[in-house]
């Protein structure tokens, strides 16, 4: 009886193979397995991407925070500049006044030095003339030049 059942099974298998039923069944099973493998691989890549996506999201969030911080910093700098603008203008005016004062002092000093050098030249010329004439005269130019220096100070 077992032999008869075995023969029946084989005959039924041969009928299915000849009719193409078994081939279609094998193809559908293979396609089903292939779909399952593709889905599993897609899930696997998705799971691999999750940490990357989390890291990228965190980096994006940090970049946005930094940009916001930079914007606030620029706004604060602009507010500080606006606040100190009048003070800067006043400081610039004071600096310009001081520079003008120093320039005037330098001009006066140059003028006094020029006058002193002219007096020294005239005194030197007078001395050379007096040496030539043989008469010794007191030097008034040294006293007058020192008094002029006192006046310029």
């Amino acid at each position: 009886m077992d032999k008869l059942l075995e023969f029946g099974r084989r005959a039924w298998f041969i009928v299915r193979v000849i009719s193409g039923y078994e081939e279609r069944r094998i193809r559908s099973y293979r396609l089903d397995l292939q779909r399952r493998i593709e889905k599993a691989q897609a899930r696997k890549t998705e799971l691999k991407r999750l940490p990357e996506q989390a890291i990228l999201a965190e980096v994006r969030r940090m970049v946005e925070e930094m940009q916001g911080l930079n914007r606030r910093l620029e706004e604060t700098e602009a507010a500080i500049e606006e606040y100190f603008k009048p003070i800067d203008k006043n400081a610039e005016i004071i600096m310009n006044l001081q520079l003008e004062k120093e320039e005037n002092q330098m001009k006066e000093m140059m003028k006094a030095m020029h006058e002193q050098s002219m007096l020294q030249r005239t005194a030197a010329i007078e001395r050379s003339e007096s040496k030539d004439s043989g008469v010794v005269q007191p030097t008034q130019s040294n006293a007058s030049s020192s008094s002029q220096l006192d006046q310029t100070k």
Side-chain angles (χ1 to χ4, degrees):
M1 182 79 174
D2 286 335
K3 287 186 179 183
L4 187 63
L5 274 174
E6 188 64 32
F7 178 76
R9 284 184 190 150
R10 283 187 185 173
W12 184 244
F13 179 75
I14 291 172
V15 168
R16 287 191 317 204
V17 169
I18 292 173
S19 69
Y21 173 78
E22 196 64 30
E23 189 177 336
R24 286 189 302 267
R25 188 171 151 237
I26 292 170
R27 277 188 194 153
S28 71
Y29 182 71
R30 189 179 59 97
L31 287 173
D32 188 43
L33 283 177
Q34 192 174 3
R35 280 190 219 119
R36 284 184 189 173
I37 290 171
E38 287 174 359
K39 285 181 182 178
Q41 286 177 344
R43 272 189 256 130
K44 187 177 176 182
T45 56
E46 226 15 76
L47 289 175
K48 282 183 181 179
R49 288 185 190 166
L50 280 177
E52 292 175 7
Q53 290 174 347
I55 291 170
L56 289 175
E58 185 69 20
V59 167
R60 274 191 221 106
R61 186 185 61 78
M62 289 176 67
V63 166
E64 289 172 359
E65 283 181 13
M66 295 288 282
Q67 288 173 344
L69 186 64
N70 282 342
R71 268 187 254 115
R72 280 186 262 143
L73 182 64
E74 289 172 0
E75 290 171 358
T76 305
E77 286 177 354
I80 289 171
E81 286 179 14
E82 285 295 319
Y83 180 78
F84 283 112
K85 229 179 220 180
I87 296 170
D88 288 342
K89 285 182 182 178
N90 290 339
E92 187 177 346
I93 291 170
I94 291 170
M95 294 265 300
N96 287 338
L97 289 174
Q98 287 178 346
L99 286 173
E100 288 176 10
K101 185 178 177 182
E102 288 178 9
E103 285 177 12
N104 289 337
Q105 287 178 348
M106 290 288 287
K107 286 179 184 176
E108 289 176 9
M109 286 178 66
M110 291 295 287
K111 193 182 222 183
M113 287 175 59
H114 183 67
E115 289 176 3
Q116 182 180 2
S117 66
M118 293 300 280
L119 288 174
Q120 286 176 351
R121 281 186 192 163
T122 56
I125 292 172
E126 286 177 5
R127 274 189 246 137
S128 66
E129 287 178 4
S130 65
K131 285 183 186 176
D132 290 341
S133 65
V135 179
V136 177
Q137 296 179 353
T139 56
Q140 296 175 357
S141 63
N142 288 341
S144 65
S145 65
S146 63
S147 66
Q148 284 183 351
L149 281 175
D150 292 336
Q151 288 176 358
T152 58
K153 289 180 183 178

